[in-house]
Amino acid sequence: MPTAQVIIRMHIDADAKRTQAGVLCAIAAYTMWGVAPLYFKQLQIMPALEILVHRIVWSVLVLIILLGVTRQWNKVRIALYSSRVMKTLAVAGVLLGANWLLFIWAINNDHLLDASLGYYINPLLNVFLGRMFLGEKLRPMQRFAVILAVIGVSILIVAHGYLPWVALVLAGTFGVYGLLRKQVSVDSLPGLFIESLMLLPLAIGYWIWFGSVHSDMFTNTVSLNVLLVAAGIVTTAPLLCFTAAARRLMYSTLGFFQYIGPSLMFLLAVYLYNEPLEPARLITFGFVWAALVIFSIDSLKAYRTARKARLA
């Protein structure tokens, strides 16, 4: 019979492996999101809504293949029988589609810096959402970090006289999406399939009745069709990693890794696509970066303290 100490050690090891898997999934997800603008810039000849249609259609096909390979169709059936799960996934799917659409539009209309700012804000929003809806306690330094981010956004509003709506909507839709996905006991693959499937009729309807000249794939170049079909992989791969990470990490901890994505976007916007970085915008980024540094240091201290407590 295993002793109590052995059982505790087994639980600690299991938690450590679960956390490690979550960390790897989070890094993979945010890195792929960070370089995604390189892909979407290749599709600037098409309207953002039509690119979204291809994201949905090809994602569903990719997910059907993955569900068959991993034999998870039973999990899809179980989710379909739960009205609560289906309602939650329906709302999550709408938020996800809105986030996809705005992200594509921002990239192809030279608002990549705004998108970067939105995803920098998102970790701090995750802390707030975790406090409001998941009962996760907000530590003093976390409160200070959130206040700094609010000040930074306020400076941009005062300096330019407009609300950075692209950044705020991207942060809000994705933050609430992640919160909802954490509330339902559906694995990442079946959940994403159901969300995408709910959007599929709208996507096909737009493709048939409102598609541009590029909607007829028989007249497109091979390279364009390859790019369009690749939307399924570009879309599903990081989302699967994200939802897998969200189920293995605390929601506030998950936000720590999101720095990877917006940092890559920021570098692409400034050094590759030459988007203007005005002084007021740079000050805003400075406040948000300072907030994230404080948040990171505080999160690291909290993690070490919790780890010592578990080992003790």
Side-chain angles (χ1 to χ4, degrees), residues 8-65:
I8 292 173
R9 174 60 65 178
M10 289 172 63
H11 281 295
I12 292 174
D13 290 342
D15 287 342
K17 290 180 179 178
R18 180 180 177 83
T19 300
Q20 184 180 31
V23 167
L24 292 175
C25 288
I27 292 173
Y30 290 126
T31 299
M32 285 186 278
W33 272 318
V35 299
L38 295 171
Y39 166 77
F40 289 110
K41 281 287 188 181
Q42 305 304 311
L43 296 173
Q44 279 186 298
I45 59 173
M46 301 175 64
L49 196 53
E50 190 162 341
I51 299 173
L52 174 63
V53 166
H54 285 278
R55 290 191 74 169
I56 295 169
V57 170
W58 301 115
S59 294
V60 169
L61 292 179
V62 170
L63 290 166
I64 288 174
I65 295 171

Side-chain angles (χ1 to χ4, degrees), residues 132-210:
M132 292 295 294
F133 298 103
L134 301 180
E136 297 180 3
K137 293 183 179 180
L138 208 62
R139 296 183 294 273
M141 295 305 291
Q142 288 179 323
R143 294 194 192 98
F144 182 52
V146 172
I147 291 171
L148 282 180
V150 172
I151 292 173
V153 173
S154 301
I155 289 173
L156 191 60
I157 294 172
V158 172
H160 290 281
Y162 79 95
L163 191 71
W165 65 272
V166 172
L168 296 177
V169 174
L170 282 174
T173 52
F174 197 69
V176 178
Y177 168 77
L179 178 67
L180 290 175
R181 288 295 281 112
K182 197 171 179 66
Q183 299 301 299
V184 292
S185 56
V186 180
D187 285 349
S188 56
L189 195 60
L192 181 57
F193 172 71
I194 293 172
E195 291 165 357
S196 302
L197 194 63
M198 289 178 176
L199 297 174
L200 185 61
L202 295 174
I204 293 177
Y206 182 91
W207 195 352
I208 293 173
W209 286 297
F210 303 104

Side-chain angles (χ1 to χ4, degrees), residues 238-279:
L239 272 170
L240 290 174
C241 290
F242 170 77
T243 51
R247 292 180 60 81
R248 290 168 173 81
L249 300 173
M250 285 182 62
Y251 199 56
S252 54
T253 303
L254 179 62
F256 171 80
F257 296 96
Q258 191 167 340
Y259 311 158
I260 298 170
S263 296
L264 292 172
M265 292 179 200
F266 181 88
L267 293 173
L268 289 174
V270 175
Y271 295 106
L272 184 59
Y273 300 123
N274 300 314
E275 290 191 15
L277 186 61
E278 307 95 343

Side-chain angles (χ1 to χ4, degrees), residues 73-118:
W73 283 109
N74 186 53
K75 295 179 180 179
V76 174
R77 286 192 291 269
I78 292 173
L80 292 175
Y81 282 115
S82 172
S83 60
R84 174 183 172 274
V85 169
M86 292 301 293
K87 289 177 183 177
T88 303
L89 291 180
V91 177
V94 171
L95 289 170
L96 184 61
N99 185 272
W100 284 352
L101 178 60
L102 183 56
F103 183 61
I104 296 167
W105 181 89
I107 292 171
N108 290 347
N109 286 272
D110 300 323
H111 286 279
L112 186 53
L113 275 176
D114 287 330
S116 173
L117 178 62

